[in-house]
Structures are given as C-alpha cells and as structure tokens.
C-alpha cells in the first residue's frame, strides 16, 4: 500500500497549488484571459516538454512490447466505456455527463501525476493513453458536444503538441540521440514546470465555475460520479483479467482513468455554446474531488487485483 501514501502526499501538494490558483483568480491576480494563457503554456510548452524529456535515450525494447499491449487495452477500454456511457445516460440532456464518463484529463493531470507517483518510466505508457484520448477527443468527443460531424478535425491531431512530442520522443528513444546539454536542461526545466502550472490552471477553472448554482443540478452529481467512480470502476474490473506481471501498465491505465474530466469539455462547450459554466464547474469540481478518489481507487485496486 506504499503507492497509496505516495499518491496521497502528491495529491495534497496538488491541492495546495490548486488552492493558490483558486485564490489568485478570486482576488484578481489572474483573470479568465490569464487562466487561458496558463493553459496554453501547458498545452504547447510544458506538457510536450514533459513527454519529450521522458523519452530521450530511455526507451527499452520491453517497454515497446508493453506499449503495444497497452494500446490494445486502451482501445478496448475506450469502446466499452462509450457503450456503457450510452446505456447509463441515454437522454439528450445528459450529453455532457456522457462526455465526463468517457474522457479523462490525461494530458493535464495524468502525465504529471504518473511521473510523480509511478516514476519516469510510466510516462511512456501514459503518453500512449494521451494519444488514444486525443484522437478520441478530436473525433468522437467534439462530435458529441457539437452534434455536427463536420466539426471532426483530424487535422488538429497532426499538429497536436502532445502527438508531435510523442513522435519526436519515439524518434529520439529509438535512435538513442541525446540533446545537447544546454538544450536538454532547458527541456527538463520546462517539464518540471508542468505540474505547478496545471494545478494553478485547474484552481482558476474551479474559481470560474458557477458552483453555487451548479450544486443544485442533478447533472453535476451525475457527471462527478460518472467521471470519478464509474469510469475507474469499469477499468479496475476490466484490468483484473490482465496478468499482474504488467502491474505498471495496469496502474498507469487506472491512474489515467481516475483523473478528472478532460479540460476540453469546457473549451468545446464554450465554442459550441453548450452550457460552458456547467462544464467549467465539472472540470474544477472533479479535479478537487479526484484528490480524494484517486488514492482510494489505487489502494482498492492493489487489493482487488491480487485476489
């Protein structure tokens, strides 16, 4: 159960940084434009740097084979989750709840938390999760919220920073190429910025949300429960069938699926005028509540998988 104490300690650190972001927004040090700019720095700079820094000269052949296993598992998991989301939340008005169940915040939360809790070696596996999730988000996810197939933007995937970082990271890993010391140090320092920036942005999202009115909505509780309880529960049960010699792979998948709802829920909702304040509140509240639910699920899984 050592992993639980590590995760709990890390989530407390994340909570404190998120609280700083929340307070900064509420006292006016950061406004809506500022929170968006911080998010942009994460998406386009620190997050890709974290991916790239984790791959350079460190990929082993055994990791590549495990990577193929995790890719298959993730595709199956995504399809099963989509089916269950449709069965549980069938009403058109529950579209955002379905989105919350299906899409986790892997790039913002999954990557930095995976590195902090499971080590640098886990980032390769989590990056595959990010790739599968990004593909799904910019195809099925954007279609869910917009209701228009014409909004599916495959071209966005080609220039997606996380995908580009993954491609270049794999090239560096396979060739064994090392960046020059100065450039490598710069990439490493940018990668270390990722977690603090993410949590400040999440604190701002929480402060932006209309929590008081949202708490009166049944959909809010359904969205939080779907994301933080149903989604990881589905995956934990599915992973019972995976051999425990792939324990790191199992932990990465569960950790990723236990993260809050994808921040793109708020961005897509604002773009297509689908209750932006509700989506922002769901993003912020699931981030806050996940600091409790993630350690619980990771601890229960350690016991359940060994039965």
């Amino acid at each position: 159960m050592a992993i639980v104490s590590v995760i709990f300690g890390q989530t407390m650190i994340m909570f404190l940084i998120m609280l700083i972001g929340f307070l900064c927004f509420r006292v006016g040090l950061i406004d809506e434009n500022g929170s968006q700019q911080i998010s942009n720095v994460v998406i386009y700079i620190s997050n890709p740097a974290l991916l790239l820094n984790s791959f350079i000269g460190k990929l082993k052949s055994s990791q590549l084979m495990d990577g193929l296993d995790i890719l298959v598992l993730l595709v199956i998991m995504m399809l099963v989750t989509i089916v269950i989301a449709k069965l549980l939340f069938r009403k058109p008005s529950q579209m955002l709840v379905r989105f919350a169940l299906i899409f986790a915040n892997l790039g913002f939360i999954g990557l930095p938390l995976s590195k902090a809790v499971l080590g640098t070696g886990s980032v390769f596996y989590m990056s595959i999760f990010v790739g599968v999730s990004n593909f799904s988000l910019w195809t099925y996810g954007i279609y869910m919220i917009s209701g228009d197939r014409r909004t599916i933007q495959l071209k966005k995937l080609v220039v997606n920073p996380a995908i580009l970082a993954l491609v270049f990271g794999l090239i560096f890993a396979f060739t064994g190429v090392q960046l020059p010391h100065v450039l490598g140090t710069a990439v490493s320092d940018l990668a270390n910025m990722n977690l603090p920036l993410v949590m400040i942005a999440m604190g701002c999202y929480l402060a932006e949300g209309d929590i008081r009115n949202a708490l009166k909505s049944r959909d809010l509780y359904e969205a939080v429960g779907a994301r933080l309880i149903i989604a990881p529960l589905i995956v934990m049960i599915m992973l019972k069938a995976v051999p425990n010699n792939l324990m790191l792979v199992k932990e990465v998948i569960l950790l990723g699926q236990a993260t809050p709802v994808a921040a793109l829920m708020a961005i897509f909702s604002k773009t297509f005028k689908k209750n932006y304040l509700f989506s922002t509140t769901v993003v912020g509240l699931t981030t806050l509540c996940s600091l409790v639910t993630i350690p619980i699920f990771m601890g229960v899984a350690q016991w359940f998988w060994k039965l």
Side-chain angles (χ1 to χ4, degrees):
M1 301 297 283
I3 188 174
V4 178
S5 61
V6 173
I7 293 175
F8 182 78
Q10 185 62 38
T11 53
M12 287 300 98
I13 294 171
M14 293 166 65
F15 170 76
L16 291 175
I17 300 174
M18 186 170 72
L19 178 61
I20 292 172
F22 180 90
L23 295 174
C24 284
F25 190 90
R26 282 299 171 90
V27 301
L29 287 176
I30 301 174
D31 58 14
E32 289 186 13
N33 290 329
S35 67
Q36 183 59 55
Q37 289 165 347
I38 293 173
S39 297
N40 289 340
V41 171
V42 171
I43 292 170
Y44 292 102
I45 298 176
S46 65
N47 209 314
L50 175 60
L51 278 169
L52 190 61
N53 187 60
S54 301
F55 288 150
I56 297 174
K58 298 175 183 177
L59 188 63
K60 300 176 182 179
S61 57
S62 59
Q63 285 180 295
L64 179 59
M65 296 304 299
D66 289 344
L68 295 175
D69 291 334
I70 198 173
L71 179 60
V72 173
L73 287 171
L74 289 172
V75 172
I76 294 172
M77 182 200 74
M78 181 64 70
L79 293 174
V80 170
T81 304
I82 289 172
V83 171
I84 292 176
K86 286 185 174 182
L87 291 174
L88 292 179
F89 306 106
R90 300 182 180 183
K91 299 178 182 177
S93 61
Q94 294 177 310
M95 175 269 297
L96 291 174
V97 179
R98 289 196 299 273
F99 188 98
L101 173 54
I102 297 168
F103 296 107
N105 198 340
L106 299 168
F108 262 42
I109 304 294
L111 278 172
L113 186 57
S114 178
K115 180 186 177 184
V117 173
L118 302 176
T120 303
S122 68
V123 175
F124 169 63
Y125 304 130
M126 186 63 78
S127 69
I128 297 174
F129 205 163
V130 171
V132 172
S133 178
N134 281 346
F135 178 83
S136 303
L137 274 165
W138 288 102
T139 52
Y140 184 65
I142 197 170
Y143 166 68
M144 279 183 68
I145 291 183
S146 69
D148 187 350
R149 294 182 187 276
R150 292 174 296 178
T151 58
I152 296 175
Q153 302 179 43
L154 291 176
K155 63 182 180 181
K156 289 282 188 179
L157 293 171
V158 179
V159 295
N160 185 280
I163 299 297
L164 289 175
L166 174 59
V167 170
F168 282 107
L170 288 171
I171 292 173
F172 282 127
F174 283 126
T175 60
V177 172
Q178 296 284 340
L179 291 175
H181 176 71
V182 173
L183 183 57
T185 302
V187 171
S188 178
D189 288 345
L190 288 170
N192 291 333
M193 289 169 48
N194 195 60
L195 182 59
L197 287 175
V198 164
M199 298 318 300
I200 289 174
M202 290 296 100
C204 291
Y205 277 167
L206 185 62
E208 284 182 61
D210 188 3
I211 298 177
R212 183 173 298 177
N213 287 328
L215 288 174
K216 302 174 184 177
S217 169
R218 177 180 175 180
D219 287 345
L220 176 69
Y221 300 102
E222 289 180 343
V224 173
R227 177 66 259 150
L228 300 181
I229 298 176
I230 298 175
L233 185 62
I234 293 169
V235 172
M236 185 178 73
I237 293 172
M238 289 177 62
L239 290 174
K240 174 70 172 175
V242 177
N244 283 340
N245 63 318
L246 293 174
M247 182 59 74
L248 180 58
V249 170
K250 295 170 68 168
E251 290 173 343
V252 167
I253 294 177
L254 180 60
L255 181 63
Q257 193 66 345
T259 56
V261 68
L264 279 175
M265 178 180 179
I267 295 171
F268 287 164
S269 295
K270 188 172 186 178
T271 300
F272 300 109
K273 298 177 174 58
K274 299 289 185 178
N275 202 342
Y276 166 70
L277 286 178
F278 173 81
S279 296
T280 303
T281 303
V282 172
V283 171
L285 199 57
T286 54
T287 301
L288 179 63
C289 294
S290 70
L291 302 181
V292 175
T293 58
I294 289 176
I296 291 174
F297 264 102
M298 295 301 290
V300 171
Q302 298 296 311
W303 166 77
F304 177 68
W305 290 336
K306 293 176 182 178
L307 286 178

